[in-house]
Amino acid sequence: MKESWQYKTFRVFNVTILLLIVFATLFPFFNIVAQSFSSESYINAGEISLWPKGFNTETYQVILSDSMFWINYKNTVVYTVVGTLISLVLSTMIAYPLSKKRLKGRNFLTMFFVFTMFFSGGLIPNYVLITSLGFGNKIWAIVIPSAISVFNMLIMRTFFQNIPDELEEAAVMDGSSTYGILFKIVLPLSKPILATMMLFYAVGHWNSWFPAFIYFSEKELFPVSIYLRNLIKGAEASYGTGATNADNITQIASNIKAVTMVLTVLPILLVYPYIQKYFVTGVMLGSVKG
Amino acid sequence: MEEAGKQTTVTKWSLTKNSFIAFKKDWQLYSLIILPVIYLLIFKYLPMIGNIIAFRRFIPGGSIFGEEWVGLYYFKMFLSDPTFYKVFSNTLILAFWLLLITFPAPILFALLLNELKNQLFKRFVQTASYLPHFFSVVVVAGIVFEFVAINGPLNSLIEFLGGNRINFIQLPEWFRTIFISSELWQGLGWGAILYLAALTGINEELYEAARIDGANRWQQTIHITIPGILPTIVILLILNIGNFLAIGFEKVLLLYNPLTYETADVIATYVYRVGLESGSFSYSTAIGLFESIVGLILVFGANYLSRRLTDTSLW
């Protein structure tokens, strides 16, 4: 096939534009990484772009020796693990029955869930409910209100629907109960979607900060996102033992922020190459109407 | 259907009986839904009913449904509150520009990606562009702060080009630009996924036929590619219009400060401040309920219009 000169020009232009987009996407993040290894004087002089200047790892040492950072980081891990487990169990419990045509009231139940995507109680009624349940300063305030994402649940339901009925019918002949079918046949066949859902929920819980922000007042319970939030909003926070006086604090503040940001996204970056395809398939499944 | 209507009583009775048999035979399947339904009732529907405190006086520590009816007292209150009009118009302006810029951008991005012949390069661009989507909004806010900081890379570039350093984050006239750019930065790649999926679904034979007819690549794009992804565009547009007012509230909360309230303060952040910082629960619930209802009307309205005009709709 012959290409016109216009199309050839366009293709050169296209590759250039896309490279610029990639650069613009990655630059702000790489700049933070470079800052995290730079000394503050170069940062203040505005000299850091993609490569550290005055290379040092002191700021990492300061943050990593701050006990509050570790406490908060560990909290995030715990909230993420517990939250993801609860989300997975609850989502499976509703997605599986809704995937069965024989379930009476299936359409009504689906609407009952989908409606919450378009209308919600709003900030204040939710706050009043959660606090009056006594969830303040408790892990439940973080993991329960966001336990079921209807969007994720619909993706799971679509996947379950596509499992051939014959497999389950054969198990019924052998005398398996619904629970037996779910655990022995459906769930083992659903490993790809369970992995996708696990990642969807885990990333969501890892990145969450607002519930902890409004429901938690004890520093020892904060997730690392609040630790970071307090740093970047300049609120009073523990800057670690490395900073002994006020001058030192303001001096290393910019580094500190950069280091904390890098450490906060590090787990996401480490799994990113593996999870990317799961996320993409998940979104594609979700787009199938059903 | 007509037949069934005449035999209502019989049908009704056998329906209950059938349900009972189905339930008895399949109780394990039904037992699974109990916990999720209770969850939904308590954590999604109860707060919806909790909106009733917009019409009732609420005392912290008292009933979550308030103490006594006050009618439209709180609604009249916000309708005479000048700040409400300010945050309402801020919300509309920000939402309008956000939709205008962040909605078409992923479509263009997907179309550009679609023209790439080298699959490896295409993968690379996609992988890089999805990355910011996975960052926590706190990290994104941190990146924005550093990027536009007085000694940050953007200002260094401005200085290099001969301009003066600008303290972007404290200037109300820059807030919308910063906010929309950060949304674009975070969502461009991810937003293109569904369009890319739709693009791969277009029948290759259509392009063959067009080439035989002598259509160039531009004409093919206009007459085959765009119509091919139009249903996807419409569906996503409905969803976007439905979420029109639901601007990334958490991001605004992180990025704004009292100096930029003039342009940055939106309904959701105002509700947050009035409700959780000042403790006016009923008043802020009234404003929040107003926003939710407008949002609901927008979803149904957009869906209705789309069904009438394009035959594509969510339901």
Side-chain angles (χ1 to χ4, degrees):
Chain A
M1 187 185 77
K2 269 200 298 187
E3 285 179 0
S4 64
W5 67 266
Q6 289 101 327
Y7 189 57
K8 276 181 189 151
T9 323
F10 163 77
R11 298 223 317 181
V12 174
F13 168 79
N14 189 19
V15 169
T16 319
I17 289 272
L18 289 172
L19 280 175
L20 278 174
I21 290 176
V22 170
F23 179 78
T25 308
L26 297 181
F27 179 86
F29 178 67
F30 282 124
N31 176 249
I32 297 291
V33 178
Q35 281 195 29
S36 73
F37 287 107
S38 300
S39 69
E40 187 68 15
S41 52
Y42 288 105
I43 299 179
N44 281 338
E47 288 186 22
I48 311 298
S49 59
L50 285 174
W51 205 250
K53 283 188 176 176
F55 183 90
N56 72 83
T57 54
E58 264 164 52
T59 329
Y60 280 92
Q61 289 163 24
V62 169
I63 287 288
L64 292 175
S65 62
D66 180 9
S67 59
M68 195 50 80
F69 174 78
W70 283 112
I71 292 171
N72 290 172
Y73 211 79
K74 193 205 75 197
N75 287 341
T76 296
V77 174
V78 172
Y79 300 157
T80 302
V81 171
V82 175
T84 306
L85 270 176
I86 292 177
S87 296
L88 270 182
V89 171
L90 278 179
S91 304
T92 310
M93 284 173 82
I94 187 65
Y96 180 66
L98 285 185
S99 75
K100 293 283 159 256
K101 294 229 159 58
R102 66 174 195 272
L103 186 86
K104 302 266 173 193
R106 178 171 173 264
N107 287 337
F108 171 76
L109 266 175
T110 310
M111 276 313 296
F112 185 65
F113 275 78
V114 169
F115 183 68
T116 63
M117 289 172 91
F118 298 109
F119 191 75
S120 71
L123 179 66
I124 307 299
N126 272 300
Y127 179 84
V128 169
L129 174 73
I130 298 298
T131 46
S132 68
L133 285 172
F135 281 5
N137 278 319
K138 291 205 177 65
I139 180 176
W140 313 121
I142 297 185
V143 298
I144 299 287
S146 56
I148 297 182
S149 145
V150 176
F151 183 76
N152 289 353
M153 190 273 283
L154 293 176
I155 295 176
M156 278 183 109
R157 189 194 65 162
T158 308
F159 188 92
F160 290 145
Q161 264 170 0
N162 293 338
I163 295 176
D165 281 337
E166 292 78 30
L167 289 171
E168 295 187 33
E169 278 158 18
V172 173
M173 295 293 180
D174 295 344
S176 284
S177 65
T178 304
Y179 295 155
I181 293 170
L182 182 60
F183 282 105
K184 288 192 205 114
I185 296 172
V186 176
L187 291 183
L189 282 173
S190 307
K191 275 178 195 151
I193 199 67
L194 291 174
T196 309
M197 286 301 117
M198 197 180 80
L199 291 162
F200 269 48
Y201 282 120
V203 170
H205 285 297
W206 185 271
N207 287 340
S208 146
W209 70 285
F210 191 66
F213 182 63
I214 58 175
Y215 298 122
F216 284 17
S217 54
E218 290 171 27
K219 273 185 184 175
E220 290 75 22
L221 298 172
F222 286 169
V224 72
S225 52
I226 300 295
Y227 182 95
L228 176 62
R229 184 261 165 202
N230 290 343
L231 282 180
I232 65 171
K233 287 298 269 186
E236 48 91 32
S238 66
Y239 282 109
T241 46
T244 43
N245 58 48
D247 273 351
N248 258 340
I249 289 176
T250 44
Q251 213 184 0
I252 57 174
S254 223
N255 285 357
I256 293 266
K257 287 182 221 166
V259 167
T260 315
M261 275 187 252
V262 172
L263 291 174
T264 307
V265 295
L266 196 63
I268 303 255
L269 287 181
L270 289 178
V271 294
Y272 180 64
Y274 308 100
I275 66 177
Q276 203 211 123
K277 65 166 191 223
Y278 284 112
F279 274 99
V280 175
T281 35
V283 172
M284 304 274 199
L285 263 178
S287 70
V288 181
K289 261 174 74 176
Chain B
M1 287 306 281
E2 293 284 296
E3 288 280 317
K6 284 172 195 162
Q7 303 175 345
T8 320
T9 41
V10 183
T11 323
K12 227 179 188 174
W13 197 82
S14 63
L15 204 75
T16 346
K17 199 181 160 196
N18 284 342
S19 304
F20 183 70
I21 292 167
F23 182 75
K24 203 176 168 191
K25 203 182 89 196
D26 233 354
W27 65 271
Q28 291 187 328
L29 191 67
Y30 292 88
S31 70
L32 284 171
I33 65 173
I34 295 171
L35 203 55
V37 166
I38 292 175
Y39 163 82
L40 206 71
L41 284 172
I42 296 178
F43 292 98
K44 301 291 168 190
Y45 282 88
L46 206 56
M48 281 182 209
I49 301 166
N51 271 316
I52 204 163
I53 61 170
F55 307 94
R56 290 170 69 87
R57 203 164 58 83
F58 174 82
I59 300 170
S63 161
I64 69 166
F65 300 119
E67 307 297 325
E68 62 195 359
W69 291 102
V70 292
L72 295 174
Y73 176 78
Y74 293 109
F75 289 86
K76 284 176 189 147
M77 198 162 137
F78 79 65
L79 286 174
S80 58
D81 175 0
T83 318
F84 169 74
Y85 292 99
K86 185 74 208 164
V87 296
F88 190 48
S89 73
N90 276 347
T91 308
L92 291 181
I93 296 169
L94 194 60
F96 172 77
W97 285 107
L98 206 59
L99 188 68
L100 197 71
I101 292 168
T102 61
F103 182 73
I107 303 174
L108 286 175
F109 183 58
L111 289 176
L112 291 182
L113 275 172
N114 194 42
E115 297 301 318
L116 289 177
K117 295 262 155 59
N118 186 334
Q119 289 306 307
L120 205 68
F121 180 65
K122 189 175 169 184
R123 264 224 109 89
F124 164 71
V125 177
Q126 281 177 275
T127 305
S129 67
Y130 298 158
L131 185 63
H133 173 81
F134 297 94
F135 290 171
S136 158
V137 61
V138 183
V139 172
V140 172
I143 290 175
V144 170
F145 282 136
E146 296 297 316
F147 189 72
V148 303
I150 195 85
N151 51 13
L154 183 62
N155 268 313
S156 294
L157 179 70
I158 291 173
E159 197 178 57
F160 177 76
L161 295 173
N164 288 321
R165 289 180 181 265
I166 302 165
N167 201 352
F168 289 104
I169 215 69
Q170 293 183 1
L171 297 171
E173 62 266 35
W174 282 103
F175 180 82
R176 286 176 189 137
T177 313
I178 293 172
F179 184 83
I180 291 164
S181 309
S182 87
E183 289 285 286
L184 188 64
W185 176 72
Q186 209 182 352
L188 179 71
W190 192 252
I193 289 186
L194 290 177
Y195 297 116
L196 288 169
L199 283 169
T200 52
I202 297 175
N203 193 345
E204 195 54 38
E205 284 168 19
L206 292 173
Y207 291 109
E208 294 284 342
R211 273 196 291 268
I212 292 166
D213 289 346
N216 65 27
R217 194 63 195 169
W218 174 248
Q219 288 162 332
Q220 290 170 34
T221 305
I222 294 294
H223 296 290
I224 298 170
T225 314
I226 305 259
I229 60 171
L230 200 59
T232 311
I233 296 178
V234 171
I235 290 282
L236 291 179
L237 188 62
I238 299 172
L239 284 172
N240 268 280
I241 291 173
N243 287 322
F244 187 70
L245 294 180
I247 295 161
F249 149 74
E250 293 186 7
K251 196 186 263 179
V252 178
L253 202 61
L254 290 163
L255 287 179
Y256 82 165
N257 62 59
L259 292 173
T260 51
Y261 280 178
E262 193 190 322
T263 54
D265 203 9
V266 291
I267 298 176
T269 49
Y270 187 54
V271 167
Y272 164 79
R273 281 205 318 282
V274 171
L276 297 188
E277 286 184 1
S278 313
S280 308
F281 285 81
S282 287
Y283 180 47
S284 52
T285 302
I287 303 177
L289 183 60
F290 169 79
E291 190 190 14
S292 302
I293 289 172
V294 174
L296 202 60
I297 293 170
L298 285 174
V299 180
F300 280 93
N303 193 56
Y304 174 79
L305 271 182
S306 160
R307 200 172 47 207
R308 292 294 297 271
L309 298 175
T310 67
D311 272 347
T312 315
S313 65
L314 282 173
W315 61 82

